[in-house]
Short mmCIF file of all heavy atoms in Angstrom, two decimals:
data_model
loop_
_atom_site.label_atom_id
_atom_site.label_comp_id
_atom_site.label_asym_id
_atom_site.label_seq_id
_atom_site.Cartn_x
_atom_site.Cartn_y
_atom_site.Cartn_z
N MET A 26 96.60 135.85 94.96
CA MET A 26 97.02 134.62 95.64
C MET A 26 97.18 134.87 97.13
O MET A 26 97.86 135.87 97.48
CB MET A 26 98.30 134.22 95.08
CG MET A 26 98.19 133.08 94.15
SD MET A 26 99.87 132.51 93.64
CE MET A 26 99.40 131.12 92.69
N THR A 27 96.75 134.03 97.92
CA THR A 27 96.94 134.12 99.34
C THR A 27 98.10 133.38 99.92
O THR A 27 98.52 133.61 101.09
CB THR A 27 95.66 133.64 100.10
OG1 THR A 27 95.56 132.20 99.86
CG2 THR A 27 94.42 134.40 99.69
N GLY A 28 98.63 132.45 99.12
CA GLY A 28 99.75 131.64 99.62
C GLY A 28 99.26 130.41 100.46
O GLY A 28 100.10 129.70 100.95
N ASP A 29 97.93 130.33 100.62
CA ASP A 29 97.45 129.20 101.45
C ASP A 29 97.67 127.91 100.61
O ASP A 29 97.64 127.94 99.40
CB ASP A 29 95.93 129.33 101.68
CG ASP A 29 95.65 130.51 102.56
OD1 ASP A 29 96.54 130.97 103.19
OD2 ASP A 29 94.42 130.94 102.63
N ARG A 30 97.85 126.85 101.37
CA ARG A 30 98.07 125.53 100.78
C ARG A 30 97.20 124.51 101.54
O ARG A 30 97.06 124.72 102.76
CB ARG A 30 99.47 125.08 100.79
CG ARG A 30 100.37 125.98 99.85
CD ARG A 30 101.73 125.56 99.63
NE ARG A 30 101.73 124.17 99.34
CZ ARG A 30 102.80 123.36 99.08
NH1 ARG A 30 103.96 123.93 99.31
NH2 ARG A 30 102.70 122.17 98.85
N GLU A 31 96.81 123.49 100.87
CA GLU A 31 96.06 122.39 101.53
C GLU A 31 96.94 121.22 101.45
O GLU A 31 97.60 120.81 100.48
CB GLU A 31 94.70 122.16 100.81
CG GLU A 31 93.84 123.37 100.97
CD GLU A 31 92.51 123.08 100.22
OE1 GLU A 31 92.23 121.94 99.92
OE2 GLU A 31 91.74 124.00 100.10
N PRO A 32 96.89 120.37 102.60
CA PRO A 32 97.77 119.11 102.57
C PRO A 32 97.13 118.08 101.68
O PRO A 32 95.89 117.99 101.53
CB PRO A 32 97.71 118.70 104.06
CG PRO A 32 96.47 119.24 104.57
CD PRO A 32 96.24 120.61 103.83
N ASP A 33 97.96 117.21 101.11
CA ASP A 33 97.43 116.10 100.37
C ASP A 33 96.82 115.07 101.33
O ASP A 33 97.00 115.20 102.54
CB ASP A 33 98.44 115.52 99.40
CG ASP A 33 99.65 115.00 100.13
OD1 ASP A 33 99.58 114.65 101.35
OD2 ASP A 33 100.69 114.88 99.48
N LEU A 34 96.21 114.03 100.86
CA LEU A 34 95.57 113.04 101.74
C LEU A 34 96.52 112.39 102.64
O LEU A 34 96.28 112.24 103.88
CB LEU A 34 94.87 112.02 100.82
CG LEU A 34 94.20 110.91 101.66
CD1 LEU A 34 93.13 111.42 102.64
CD2 LEU A 34 93.57 109.82 100.72
N ALA A 35 97.74 112.05 102.21
CA ALA A 35 98.71 111.34 103.04
C ALA A 35 99.18 112.21 104.16
O ALA A 35 99.30 111.80 105.30
CB ALA A 35 99.96 110.94 102.20
N THR A 36 99.40 113.56 103.87
CA THR A 36 99.78 114.47 104.91
C THR A 36 98.68 114.70 105.89
O THR A 36 98.87 114.73 107.13
CB THR A 36 100.18 115.80 104.27
OG1 THR A 36 101.23 115.56 103.34
CG2 THR A 36 100.62 116.83 105.32
N LEU A 37 97.40 114.79 105.39
CA LEU A 37 96.27 114.94 106.33
C LEU A 37 96.13 113.76 107.28
O LEU A 37 95.95 113.93 108.45
CB LEU A 37 94.98 115.10 105.45
CG LEU A 37 93.73 115.35 106.21
CD1 LEU A 37 93.82 116.56 107.08
CD2 LEU A 37 92.53 115.40 105.32
N ILE A 38 96.39 112.55 106.73
CA ILE A 38 96.31 111.29 107.58
C ILE A 38 97.39 111.37 108.66
O ILE A 38 97.15 111.08 109.76
CB ILE A 38 96.42 110.07 106.62
CG1 ILE A 38 95.12 109.98 105.84
CG2 ILE A 38 96.62 108.86 107.53
CD1 ILE A 38 95.17 108.95 104.80
N ARG A 39 98.57 111.77 108.24
CA ARG A 39 99.71 111.82 109.20
C ARG A 39 99.46 112.84 110.25
O ARG A 39 99.71 112.62 111.46
CB ARG A 39 101.05 112.08 108.46
CG ARG A 39 101.57 110.87 107.79
CD ARG A 39 103.06 111.07 107.35
NE ARG A 39 103.22 112.18 106.41
CZ ARG A 39 103.07 112.06 105.08
NH1 ARG A 39 102.83 110.93 104.52
NH2 ARG A 39 103.31 113.09 104.26
N ILE A 40 98.86 114.04 109.95
CA ILE A 40 98.57 114.96 110.87
C ILE A 40 97.48 114.45 111.85
O ILE A 40 97.61 114.64 113.07
CB ILE A 40 98.01 116.30 110.19
CG1 ILE A 40 99.16 117.00 109.42
CG2 ILE A 40 97.41 117.24 111.25
CD1 ILE A 40 98.66 118.07 108.46
N ALA A 41 96.41 113.83 111.36
CA ALA A 41 95.43 113.27 112.19
C ALA A 41 96.01 112.23 113.16
O ALA A 41 95.59 112.19 114.29
CB ALA A 41 94.30 112.68 111.38
N GLN A 42 96.83 111.38 112.57
CA GLN A 42 97.40 110.34 113.53
C GLN A 42 98.26 110.96 114.64
O GLN A 42 98.21 110.58 115.77
CB GLN A 42 98.31 109.37 112.72
CG GLN A 42 97.49 108.48 111.87
CD GLN A 42 98.32 107.62 110.88
OE1 GLN A 42 99.43 108.00 110.53
NE2 GLN A 42 97.83 106.47 110.44
N THR A 43 99.06 111.97 114.25
CA THR A 43 99.89 112.64 115.23
C THR A 43 99.03 113.30 116.32
O THR A 43 99.36 113.25 117.52
CB THR A 43 100.73 113.79 114.60
OG1 THR A 43 101.56 113.12 113.60
CG2 THR A 43 101.56 114.49 115.56
N LEU A 44 97.89 113.87 115.94
CA LEU A 44 96.98 114.54 116.90
C LEU A 44 95.94 113.56 117.53
O LEU A 44 95.12 113.94 118.35
CB LEU A 44 96.26 115.66 116.15
CG LEU A 44 97.15 116.76 115.70
CD1 LEU A 44 96.25 117.80 114.87
CD2 LEU A 44 97.84 117.47 116.82
N GLN A 45 96.10 112.28 117.18
CA GLN A 45 95.25 111.21 117.64
C GLN A 45 93.72 111.59 117.40
O GLN A 45 92.88 111.51 118.37
CB GLN A 45 95.54 110.91 119.08
CG GLN A 45 96.81 110.40 119.33
CD GLN A 45 97.15 110.12 120.80
OE1 GLN A 45 96.52 110.57 121.69
NE2 GLN A 45 98.20 109.31 120.99
N THR A 46 93.45 111.97 116.21
CA THR A 46 92.09 112.29 115.77
C THR A 46 91.89 111.72 114.36
O THR A 46 92.72 110.91 113.92
CB THR A 46 91.85 113.80 115.82
OG1 THR A 46 90.48 114.02 115.61
CG2 THR A 46 92.69 114.56 114.82
N THR A 47 90.84 112.11 113.71
CA THR A 47 90.59 111.68 112.34
C THR A 47 90.61 112.81 111.38
O THR A 47 90.50 114.00 111.76
CB THR A 47 89.15 110.96 112.30
OG1 THR A 47 88.23 112.04 112.44
CG2 THR A 47 88.97 109.95 113.26
N PRO A 48 90.88 112.54 110.10
CA PRO A 48 90.86 113.63 109.11
C PRO A 48 89.48 114.27 109.05
O PRO A 48 89.46 115.46 108.87
CB PRO A 48 91.16 112.87 107.74
CG PRO A 48 92.03 111.65 108.21
CD PRO A 48 91.42 111.24 109.53
N ASN A 49 88.39 113.48 109.23
CA ASN A 49 87.12 114.13 109.30
C ASN A 49 86.95 115.14 110.39
O ASN A 49 86.35 116.24 110.17
CB ASN A 49 86.03 113.04 109.41
CG ASN A 49 85.76 112.31 108.11
OD1 ASN A 49 86.32 112.69 107.07
ND2 ASN A 49 84.97 111.29 108.17
N ASP A 50 87.50 114.88 111.52
CA ASP A 50 87.48 115.81 112.67
C ASP A 50 88.31 117.02 112.39
O ASP A 50 87.85 118.10 112.61
CB ASP A 50 88.07 115.20 113.99
CG ASP A 50 87.07 114.14 114.53
OD1 ASP A 50 85.87 114.20 114.20
OD2 ASP A 50 87.52 113.35 115.36
N LEU A 51 89.45 116.84 111.66
CA LEU A 51 90.24 118.00 111.33
C LEU A 51 89.54 118.83 110.31
O LEU A 51 89.61 120.11 110.33
CB LEU A 51 91.61 117.54 110.75
CG LEU A 51 92.56 116.84 111.77
CD1 LEU A 51 93.86 116.42 110.98
CD2 LEU A 51 93.00 117.83 112.81
N LEU A 52 88.80 118.28 109.43
CA LEU A 52 88.10 118.94 108.36
C LEU A 52 86.69 119.50 108.79
O LEU A 52 86.04 120.21 108.04
CB LEU A 52 88.00 118.12 107.11
CG LEU A 52 89.28 117.73 106.48
CD1 LEU A 52 89.04 116.70 105.39
CD2 LEU A 52 89.97 118.92 105.91
N GLY A 53 86.32 119.12 110.03
CA GLY A 53 85.03 119.52 110.46
C GLY A 53 83.84 118.80 109.84
O GLY A 53 82.73 119.32 109.82
N LEU A 54 84.06 117.59 109.41
CA LEU A 54 83.00 116.79 108.73
C LEU A 54 82.28 115.94 109.71
O LEU A 54 82.92 115.33 110.64
CB LEU A 54 83.62 115.93 107.72
CG LEU A 54 84.32 116.59 106.54
CD1 LEU A 54 84.98 115.60 105.56
CD2 LEU A 54 83.45 117.51 105.77
N VAL A 55 81.01 115.92 109.66
CA VAL A 55 80.17 115.13 110.56
C VAL A 55 79.32 114.20 109.71
O VAL A 55 78.62 114.67 108.82
CB VAL A 55 79.29 116.00 111.47
CG1 VAL A 55 78.42 115.18 112.37
CG2 VAL A 55 80.13 116.92 112.33
N HIS A 56 79.32 112.93 110.07
CA HIS A 56 78.56 111.95 109.30
C HIS A 56 77.58 111.24 110.25
O HIS A 56 77.71 110.10 110.55
CB HIS A 56 79.43 110.93 108.61
CG HIS A 56 80.36 111.46 107.55
ND1 HIS A 56 79.85 111.84 106.39
CD2 HIS A 56 81.65 111.72 107.53
CE1 HIS A 56 80.84 112.29 105.63
NE2 HIS A 56 81.93 112.23 106.31
N SER A 57 76.54 112.00 110.64
CA SER A 57 75.66 111.42 111.64
C SER A 57 74.80 110.34 111.01
O SER A 57 74.26 109.49 111.73
CB SER A 57 74.66 112.54 112.22
OG SER A 57 74.04 113.19 111.07
N SER A 58 74.68 110.35 109.69
CA SER A 58 73.83 109.35 109.03
C SER A 58 74.58 107.96 108.72
O SER A 58 74.06 107.07 108.25
CB SER A 58 73.24 109.91 107.73
OG SER A 58 74.38 110.17 106.82
N VAL A 59 75.88 108.04 108.98
CA VAL A 59 76.68 106.81 108.77
C VAL A 59 76.49 105.82 109.89
O VAL A 59 76.65 106.15 111.05
CB VAL A 59 78.18 107.17 108.75
CG1 VAL A 59 79.06 105.88 108.57
CG2 VAL A 59 78.48 108.14 107.55
N ASP A 60 76.02 104.59 109.50
CA ASP A 60 75.83 103.58 110.49
C ASP A 60 77.06 103.06 111.00
O ASP A 60 78.15 103.23 110.42
CB ASP A 60 74.86 102.49 110.03
CG ASP A 60 75.40 101.62 108.89
OD1 ASP A 60 76.60 101.39 108.91
OD2 ASP A 60 74.63 101.27 107.99
N ALA A 61 77.00 102.23 112.07
CA ALA A 61 78.19 101.71 112.70
C ALA A 61 79.12 100.80 111.77
O ALA A 61 80.24 100.92 111.76
CB ALA A 61 77.88 100.97 114.00
N GLY A 62 78.47 100.06 110.96
CA GLY A 62 79.12 99.19 110.00
C GLY A 62 79.89 100.00 108.98
O GLY A 62 81.06 99.64 108.70
N VAL A 63 79.30 100.96 108.46
CA VAL A 63 79.94 101.77 107.48
C VAL A 63 81.07 102.61 108.14
O VAL A 63 82.16 102.70 107.60
CB VAL A 63 79.01 102.76 106.72
CG1 VAL A 63 79.79 103.78 105.90
CG2 VAL A 63 77.98 101.96 105.93
N GLY A 64 80.87 103.14 109.35
CA GLY A 64 81.85 103.81 110.07
C GLY A 64 83.12 102.94 110.30
O GLY A 64 84.24 103.36 110.17
N GLU A 65 82.91 101.66 110.62
CA GLU A 65 84.07 100.73 110.79
C GLU A 65 84.75 100.51 109.54
O GLU A 65 85.91 100.44 109.51
CB GLU A 65 83.51 99.41 111.37
CG GLU A 65 84.66 98.39 111.72
CD GLU A 65 85.65 98.88 112.65
OE1 GLU A 65 85.35 99.68 113.64
OE2 GLU A 65 86.89 98.52 112.55
N GLN A 66 84.02 100.35 108.44
CA GLN A 66 84.62 100.21 107.07
C GLN A 66 85.50 101.39 106.70
O GLN A 66 86.59 101.31 106.19
CB GLN A 66 83.61 99.93 106.09
CG GLN A 66 83.01 98.56 106.19
CD GLN A 66 81.80 98.38 105.23
OE1 GLN A 66 81.21 99.27 104.77
NE2 GLN A 66 81.57 97.12 104.91
N LEU A 67 84.97 102.60 106.99
CA LEU A 67 85.75 103.78 106.66
C LEU A 67 87.00 103.93 107.57
O LEU A 67 88.09 104.33 107.11
CB LEU A 67 84.86 105.06 106.99
CG LEU A 67 83.70 105.28 105.95
CD1 LEU A 67 82.80 106.37 106.40
CD2 LEU A 67 84.18 105.55 104.58
N LYS A 68 86.86 103.47 108.80
CA LYS A 68 88.01 103.40 109.65
C LYS A 68 89.11 102.49 109.07
O LYS A 68 90.30 102.76 109.08
CB LYS A 68 87.66 102.91 111.06
CG LYS A 68 88.82 102.89 112.03
CD LYS A 68 88.35 102.48 113.47
CE LYS A 68 89.52 102.27 114.38
NZ LYS A 68 89.06 101.80 115.66
N GLN A 69 88.71 101.30 108.60
CA GLN A 69 89.62 100.31 108.02
C GLN A 69 90.30 100.87 106.78
O GLN A 69 91.47 100.70 106.55
CB GLN A 69 88.90 99.04 107.67
CG GLN A 69 88.49 98.20 108.90
CD GLN A 69 87.64 97.01 108.55
OE1 GLN A 69 87.34 96.75 107.36
NE2 GLN A 69 87.33 96.25 109.52
N LEU A 70 89.47 101.52 105.97
CA LEU A 70 90.02 102.24 104.67
C LEU A 70 91.00 103.19 105.06
O LEU A 70 92.08 103.30 104.41
CB LEU A 70 88.80 102.79 103.89
CG LEU A 70 89.25 103.35 102.56
CD1 LEU A 70 89.94 102.37 101.65
CD2 LEU A 70 87.99 103.96 101.87
N LEU A 71 90.78 104.06 106.06
CA LEU A 71 91.75 105.10 106.40
C LEU A 71 93.07 104.45 106.94
O LEU A 71 94.07 104.88 106.64
CB LEU A 71 91.15 105.92 107.55
CG LEU A 71 91.98 107.03 108.13
CD1 LEU A 71 92.31 107.97 107.01
CD2 LEU A 71 91.24 107.75 109.29
N GLU A 72 92.97 103.32 107.70
CA GLU A 72 94.14 102.65 108.21
C GLU A 72 94.99 102.06 107.04
O GLU A 72 96.18 102.22 106.96
CB GLU A 72 93.75 101.53 109.16
CG GLU A 72 93.21 102.00 110.52
CD GLU A 72 92.68 100.91 111.38
OE1 GLU A 72 92.68 99.73 110.97
OE2 GLU A 72 92.19 101.24 112.51
N ILE A 73 94.28 101.51 106.06
CA ILE A 73 94.94 101.05 104.91
C ILE A 73 95.57 102.11 104.15
O ILE A 73 96.80 102.08 103.71
CB ILE A 73 93.93 100.23 103.96
CG1 ILE A 73 93.52 98.92 104.76
CG2 ILE A 73 94.60 99.90 102.64
CD1 ILE A 73 92.34 98.24 104.07
N ALA A 74 94.87 103.27 103.94
CA ALA A 74 95.36 104.35 103.09
C ALA A 74 96.57 104.93 103.82
O ALA A 74 97.50 105.46 103.14
CB ALA A 74 94.24 105.42 102.93
N SER A 75 96.62 104.98 105.11
CA SER A 75 97.67 105.56 105.77
C SER A 75 99.01 104.85 105.58
O SER A 75 100.09 105.38 105.71
CB SER A 75 97.45 105.71 107.25
OG SER A 75 97.43 104.46 107.90
N ALA A 76 98.99 103.61 105.23
CA ALA A 76 100.14 102.78 104.92
C ALA A 76 100.56 102.78 103.48
O ALA A 76 101.63 102.25 103.14
CB ALA A 76 99.92 101.33 105.44
N MET A 77 99.85 103.49 102.62
CA MET A 77 100.11 103.51 101.19
C MET A 77 101.15 104.59 100.78
O MET A 77 101.25 105.63 101.46
CB MET A 77 98.85 103.71 100.38
CG MET A 77 97.86 102.53 100.49
SD MET A 77 96.46 102.92 99.48
CE MET A 77 95.93 101.24 99.05
N GLN A 78 101.78 104.37 99.70
CA GLN A 78 102.68 105.38 99.13
C GLN A 78 101.78 106.40 98.32
O GLN A 78 100.69 106.03 97.94
CB GLN A 78 103.68 104.67 98.16
CG GLN A 78 104.56 103.73 98.85
CD GLN A 78 105.49 104.44 99.87
OE1 GLN A 78 106.03 105.56 99.58
NE2 GLN A 78 105.63 103.80 101.02
N PRO A 79 102.27 107.56 98.04
CA PRO A 79 101.45 108.52 97.31
C PRO A 79 100.92 108.02 96.00
O PRO A 79 99.68 108.29 95.66
CB PRO A 79 102.43 109.70 97.17
CG PRO A 79 103.35 109.62 98.32
CD PRO A 79 103.50 108.15 98.48
N ASP A 80 101.73 107.26 95.20
CA ASP A 80 101.21 106.79 93.95
C ASP A 80 100.11 105.79 94.16
O ASP A 80 99.10 105.77 93.43
CB ASP A 80 102.28 106.13 93.14
CG ASP A 80 103.30 107.16 92.52
OD1 ASP A 80 102.94 108.34 92.45
OD2 ASP A 80 104.38 106.75 92.10
N ASP A 81 100.15 104.97 95.24
CA ASP A 81 99.12 104.08 95.58
C ASP A 81 97.87 104.84 95.98
O ASP A 81 96.76 104.38 95.51
CB ASP A 81 99.56 103.13 96.67
CG ASP A 81 100.73 102.28 96.26
OD1 ASP A 81 100.93 101.98 95.15
OD2 ASP A 81 101.50 101.92 97.26
N LEU A 82 97.99 105.91 96.73
CA LEU A 82 96.81 106.68 97.09
C LEU A 82 96.11 107.24 95.91
O LEU A 82 94.89 107.23 95.80
CB LEU A 82 97.29 107.76 98.07
CG LEU A 82 97.50 107.37 99.50
CD1 LEU A 82 98.14 108.45 100.27
CD2 LEU A 82 96.33 106.82 100.23
N ARG A 83 96.87 107.77 94.94
CA ARG A 83 96.31 108.32 93.68
C ARG A 83 95.54 107.23 92.98
O ARG A 83 94.42 107.48 92.52
CB ARG A 83 97.36 108.99 92.81
CG ARG A 83 97.80 110.30 93.26
CD ARG A 83 98.70 111.04 92.32
NE ARG A 83 100.05 110.49 92.38
CZ ARG A 83 100.99 110.89 93.26
NH1 ARG A 83 100.70 111.74 94.21
NH2 ARG A 83 102.20 110.38 93.24
N LEU A 84 96.09 106.05 92.91
CA LEU A 84 95.39 104.93 92.23
C LEU A 84 94.04 104.59 92.94
O LEU A 84 93.06 104.37 92.37
CB LEU A 84 96.27 103.77 92.10
CG LEU A 84 95.72 102.47 91.49
CD1 LEU A 84 95.24 102.85 90.04
CD2 LEU A 84 96.75 101.38 91.44
N LEU A 85 94.17 104.55 94.29
CA LEU A 85 92.94 104.21 95.12
C LEU A 85 91.90 105.22 94.87
O LEU A 85 90.72 104.90 94.75
CB LEU A 85 93.37 104.16 96.59
CG LEU A 85 92.20 103.92 97.58
CD1 LEU A 85 91.57 102.55 97.25
CD2 LEU A 85 92.73 103.98 98.99
N ILE A 86 92.29 106.56 94.77
CA ILE A 86 91.25 107.60 94.52
C ILE A 86 90.66 107.48 93.18
O ILE A 86 89.40 107.56 93.01
CB ILE A 86 91.96 108.93 94.68
CG1 ILE A 86 92.30 109.20 96.11
CG2 ILE A 86 91.06 110.08 94.12
CD1 ILE A 86 93.20 110.38 96.41
N VAL A 87 91.43 107.12 92.16
CA VAL A 87 90.88 106.91 90.80
C VAL A 87 89.83 105.74 90.79
O VAL A 87 88.83 105.83 90.28
CB VAL A 87 91.98 106.66 89.74
CG1 VAL A 87 91.46 106.08 88.50
CG2 VAL A 87 92.84 107.86 89.59
N GLN A 88 90.24 104.70 91.52
CA GLN A 88 89.35 103.51 91.62
C GLN A 88 88.11 103.82 92.36
O GLN A 88 87.05 103.42 91.90
CB GLN A 88 90.13 102.33 92.26
CG GLN A 88 91.21 101.79 91.40
CD GLN A 88 92.08 100.77 92.15
OE1 GLN A 88 92.16 100.76 93.38
NE2 GLN A 88 92.65 99.82 91.38
N ALA A 89 88.22 104.59 93.48
CA ALA A 89 87.02 104.88 94.19
C ALA A 89 86.02 105.75 93.34
O ALA A 89 84.84 105.61 93.43
CB ALA A 89 87.40 105.60 95.49
N LYS A 90 86.62 106.70 92.70
CA LYS A 90 85.74 107.63 91.78
C LYS A 90 85.08 106.78 90.73
O LYS A 90 83.93 107.02 90.42
CB LYS A 90 86.68 108.70 91.17
CG LYS A 90 87.07 109.77 92.11
CD LYS A 90 87.87 110.79 91.44
CE LYS A 90 88.31 111.91 92.32
NZ LYS A 90 89.11 112.99 91.66
N ALA A 91 85.78 105.70 90.18
CA ALA A 91 85.08 104.89 89.21
C ALA A 91 83.98 104.12 89.80
O ALA A 91 82.99 103.94 89.15
CB ALA A 91 86.23 103.99 88.60
N VAL A 92 84.15 103.64 90.98
CA VAL A 92 83.06 102.88 91.61
C VAL A 92 81.91 103.82 91.86
O VAL A 92 80.75 103.42 91.56
CB VAL A 92 83.53 102.28 93.00
CG1 VAL A 92 82.31 101.74 93.79
CG2 VAL A 92 84.51 101.13 92.74
N VAL A 93 82.12 105.05 92.33
CA VAL A 93 80.99 106.01 92.55
C VAL A 93 80.24 106.25 91.23
O VAL A 93 79.11 106.29 91.15
CB VAL A 93 81.62 107.21 93.24
CG1 VAL A 93 80.48 108.28 93.26
CG2 VAL A 93 81.95 106.94 94.63
N ALA A 94 81.10 106.55 90.16
CA ALA A 94 80.52 106.81 88.89
C ALA A 94 79.68 105.68 88.39
O ALA A 94 78.56 105.85 87.75
CB ALA A 94 81.61 107.24 87.87
N ALA A 95 80.23 104.51 88.54
CA ALA A 95 79.48 103.23 88.00
C ALA A 95 78.15 103.08 88.83
O ALA A 95 77.13 102.79 88.20
CB ALA A 95 80.34 102.04 88.13
N ARG A 96 78.10 103.31 90.07
CA ARG A 96 76.94 103.24 90.91
C ARG A 96 75.89 104.28 90.49
O ARG A 96 74.74 103.99 90.42
CB ARG A 96 77.21 103.37 92.37
CG ARG A 96 78.02 102.26 92.99
CD ARG A 96 77.15 101.04 93.20
NE ARG A 96 77.88 100.01 93.90
CZ ARG A 96 77.82 98.73 93.52
NH1 ARG A 96 76.91 98.37 92.57
NH2 ARG A 96 78.53 97.82 94.22
N ALA A 97 76.37 105.53 90.19
CA ALA A 97 75.51 106.60 89.80
C ALA A 97 74.87 106.29 88.41
O ALA A 97 73.72 106.72 88.07
CB ALA A 97 76.30 107.86 89.72
N ALA A 98 75.57 105.55 87.58
CA ALA A 98 75.11 105.26 86.26
C ALA A 98 74.19 104.06 86.17
O ALA A 98 73.51 103.81 85.18
CB ALA A 98 76.32 104.94 85.29
N GLU A 99 74.09 103.31 87.27
CA GLU A 99 73.13 102.13 87.31
C GLU A 99 71.69 102.53 87.33
O GLU A 99 71.38 103.60 88.04
CB GLU A 99 73.41 101.36 88.60
CG GLU A 99 74.70 100.61 88.59
CD GLU A 99 74.93 99.75 89.91
OE1 GLU A 99 74.14 99.90 90.88
OE2 GLU A 99 75.91 99.03 89.97
N PRO A 100 70.89 101.95 86.52
CA PRO A 100 69.47 102.19 86.52
C PRO A 100 68.85 101.93 87.89
O PRO A 100 69.22 100.95 88.57
CB PRO A 100 68.83 101.34 85.44
CG PRO A 100 69.87 100.27 85.21
CD PRO A 100 71.21 100.82 85.64
N LEU A 101 67.90 102.70 88.25
CA LEU A 101 67.18 102.45 89.57
C LEU A 101 66.34 101.24 89.53
O LEU A 101 65.69 100.69 88.78
CB LEU A 101 66.40 103.67 89.93
CG LEU A 101 67.18 104.92 90.22
CD1 LEU A 101 66.27 106.09 90.47
CD2 LEU A 101 68.09 104.80 91.36
#
């Protein structure tokens, strides 16, 4: 064990807000293929998530995973 810990989503969002950046920037994620419309939607989702309580965030994550799984199961 290294003793390393990773922040949960709510903490990551608070860190990003304090540093006036985004969680993606903190994590080194680059989404060059994301169009402007999707980027704006992601920004709105982040703003909403930052106002949620931890239990609400867990529920949101469960729901998002369900949407992704349902889309993956759709026939082409």
Side-chain angles (χ1 to χ4, degrees):
M26 255 188 179
T27 64
D29 291 345
R30 294 188 51 183
E31 295 181 11
D33 60 23
L34 179 59
T36 301
L37 182 62
I38 291 169
R39 285 193 296 273
I40 291 169
Q42 288 174 333
T43 299
L44 297 175
Q45 297 180 343
T46 188
T47 67
N49 284 352
D50 287 341
L51 291 176
L52 297 172
L54 301 176
V55 177
H56 294 286
S57 58
S58 63
V59 175
D60 65 38
V63 172
E65 183 60 31
Q66 290 172 334
L67 290 172
K68 181 180 174 185
Q69 289 174 359
L70 183 59
L71 181 59
E72 289 171 1
I73 292 166
S75 69
M77 292 180 153
Q78 298 296 318
D80 286 342
D81 297 331
L82 285 171
R83 282 189 281 280
L84 180 58
L85 179 62
I86 291 167
V87 168
Q88 291 172 332
K90 286 180 178 180
V92 169
V93 170
R96 293 282 184 219
E99 290 180 353
L101 296 176

